[in-house]
Amino acid sequence: MKTFAYFMSCINESMTKELDKALDQWEKDFDLKFIKLHDGTCCGGSNLDYVDPKEFLVINARNIALAEKENLDLVTSCNTCLLSLRRAKQELDSSEENKTFVNSILKKQNLEYTGKSEVKHLLWVLNEDLGLDAIKAKVKTPLKDYKIAPFYGCHILRPSSLMGKDDPSNPKSLDQLVDVLGAKTVDYKSNNECCGFHTLLVAEDASLNIAADALENAIETDADFIVTPCPLCHTVLDSYQQKALKKRNVKDSIPVLHLSQLVGLALGYTQKQLGINRHIVSLSK
């Protein structure tokens, strides 16, 4: 059994609980185990590192140290959490001064950051640690009736020097997963661009325009739905879809799934089991 520490992102603990519910359904099918770090705290959401860089390092060193205490790599299903955790790890691993500073605080909780645990995205675990062939062998209901628009989002791709898995101009990892699940992927302009989530509360019009670009591009391909590896992208593209498309006078709509739900569909789980029925835009098939 392959075992990982699982970072419970704020968004999955509150607004998008169905995404972790889907993961809970099928992890046993692949002989995977994700140990949820209930003591973890918010990663800072790609904002705290600018507001208080030292606090940013401490909280993310603590999150990684919780995984290190279990001798496990740390996995997240949120692109922004991935960026925050990997950025903190890079800064800590390249500076003994930073490492000494965070450990002077972590020792109060009997924790220590050493740098031995890797920080991974769920997509990378599926494609690399588990392997595409192993996934394909477990597919029970191939998604051959679907045309899918993969939407990567930006934080899993950029900066490429920190992520290092995909070419940010031409990413392939999510497309490869969709392929082994039996579906067809479509190419469209916005698949590797920002969803607009992080400006939603301070510049809603700008945010909705960004989301509308992605949604309209995907709709124009006649895709059955969008799949994304990020719950933040999922939230803005699903929950704010009607508002975004109204700005463009677009009457059509398109469902949005997280990759954990996509995998579950191919393994034979129902939409209800995967929480797809919770979405604003329903999946009709």
Side-chain angles (χ1 to χ4, degrees), residues 253-269:
S253 62
I254 185 167
V256 184
L257 273 64
H258 188 266
L259 74 87
S260 59
Q261 296 173 316
L262 183 76
V263 172
L265 282 178
L267 294 178
Y269 292 95

Side-chain angles (χ1 to χ4, degrees), residues 67-131:
E68 292 182 343
K69 189 175 182 179
E70 302 294 332
N71 293 311
L72 297 172
D73 287 338
L74 182 60
V75 175
T76 177
S77 62
C78 175
N79 291 5
T80 295
C81 294
L82 178 75
L83 176 61
S84 295
L85 290 162
R86 285 180 69 88
R87 176 171 285 164
K89 178 175 172 57
Q90 183 184 64
E91 292 186 28
L92 291 165
D93 291 348
S94 62
S95 170
E96 285 299 321
E97 180 181 352
N98 283 337
K99 194 181 295 186
T100 300
F101 166 71
V102 300
N103 281 330
S104 69
I105 297 172
L106 295 184
K107 68 180 181 181
K108 298 174 185 177
Q109 295 187 356
N110 294 316
L111 291 171
E112 180 185 11
Y113 175 86
T114 66
K116 65 183 179 182
S117 291
E118 294 297 322
V119 176
K120 303 179 178 184
H121 194 283
L122 176 62
L123 175 61
W124 303 349
V125 169
L126 291 172
N127 286 20
E128 299 173 7
D129 294 272
L130 185 58

Side-chain angles (χ1 to χ4, degrees), residues 31 62 83 85 106-107 109 143 156 203 210 216 265 277:
D31 206 22
R62 181 180 177 277
L83 176 61
L85 290 162
L106 295 184
K107 68 180 181 181
Q109 295 187 356
L143 306 180
I156 197 172
I210 293 170
E216 193 171 8
L265 282 178
N277 59 312

Side-chain angles (χ1 to χ4, degrees), residues 9 11-12 16 19 77-79 228-236 258:
S9 60
I11 188 82
N12 279 2
T16 54
L19 307 187
S77 62
C78 175
N79 291 5
T228 177
C230 181
L232 303 180
C233 296
H234 176 272
T235 296
V236 71
H258 188 266

Side-chain angles (χ1 to χ4, degrees), residues 59-211:
I59 65 168
N60 284 297
R62 181 180 177 277
N63 288 327
I64 299 170
L66 289 170
E68 292 182 343
K69 189 175 182 179
E70 302 294 332
N71 293 311
L72 297 172
D73 287 338
L74 182 60
V75 175
T76 177
S77 62
C78 175
N79 291 5
T80 295
C81 294
L82 178 75
L83 176 61
S84 295
L85 290 162
R86 285 180 69 88
R87 176 171 285 164
K89 178 175 172 57
Q90 183 184 64
E91 292 186 28
L92 291 165
D93 291 348
S94 62
S95 170
E96 285 299 321
E97 180 181 352
N98 283 337
K99 194 181 295 186
T100 300
F101 166 71
V102 300
N103 281 330
S104 69
I105 297 172
L106 295 184
K107 68 180 181 181
K108 298 174 185 177
Q109 295 187 356
N110 294 316
L111 291 171
E112 180 185 11
Y113 175 86
T114 66
K116 65 183 179 182
S117 291
E118 294 297 322
V119 176
K120 303 179 178 184
H121 194 283
L122 176 62
L123 175 61
W124 303 349
V125 169
L126 291 172
N127 286 20
E128 299 173 7
D129 294 272
L130 185 58
L132 294 171
D133 289 340
I135 294 172
K136 188 174 183 178
K138 291 288 186 176
V139 171
K140 296 178 181 177
T141 55
L143 306 180
K144 54 185 175 57
D145 294 331
Y146 292 110
K147 288 169 57 181
I148 299 175
F151 184 82
Y152 288 80
C154 51
H155 287 168
I156 197 172
L157 300 174
R158 303 177 185 89
S160 55
S161 59
L162 186 59
M163 297 306 164
K165 297 293 182 180
D166 267 304
D167 176 352
S169 300
N170 187 29
K172 295 295 184 184
S173 57
L174 186 54
D175 291 71
Q176 291 167 348
L177 178 62
V178 171
D179 287 342
V180 299
L181 298 178
K184 295 180 180 179
T185 59
V186 298
D187 293 323
Y188 65 111
K189 179 183 176 183
S190 300
N191 75 332
N192 63 342
E193 297 180 1
C194 179
C195 69
F197 180 90
H198 287 281
T199 59
L200 189 59
L201 297 180
V202 294
E204 184 175 287
D205 282 347
S207 175
L208 293 179
N209 275 321
I210 293 170

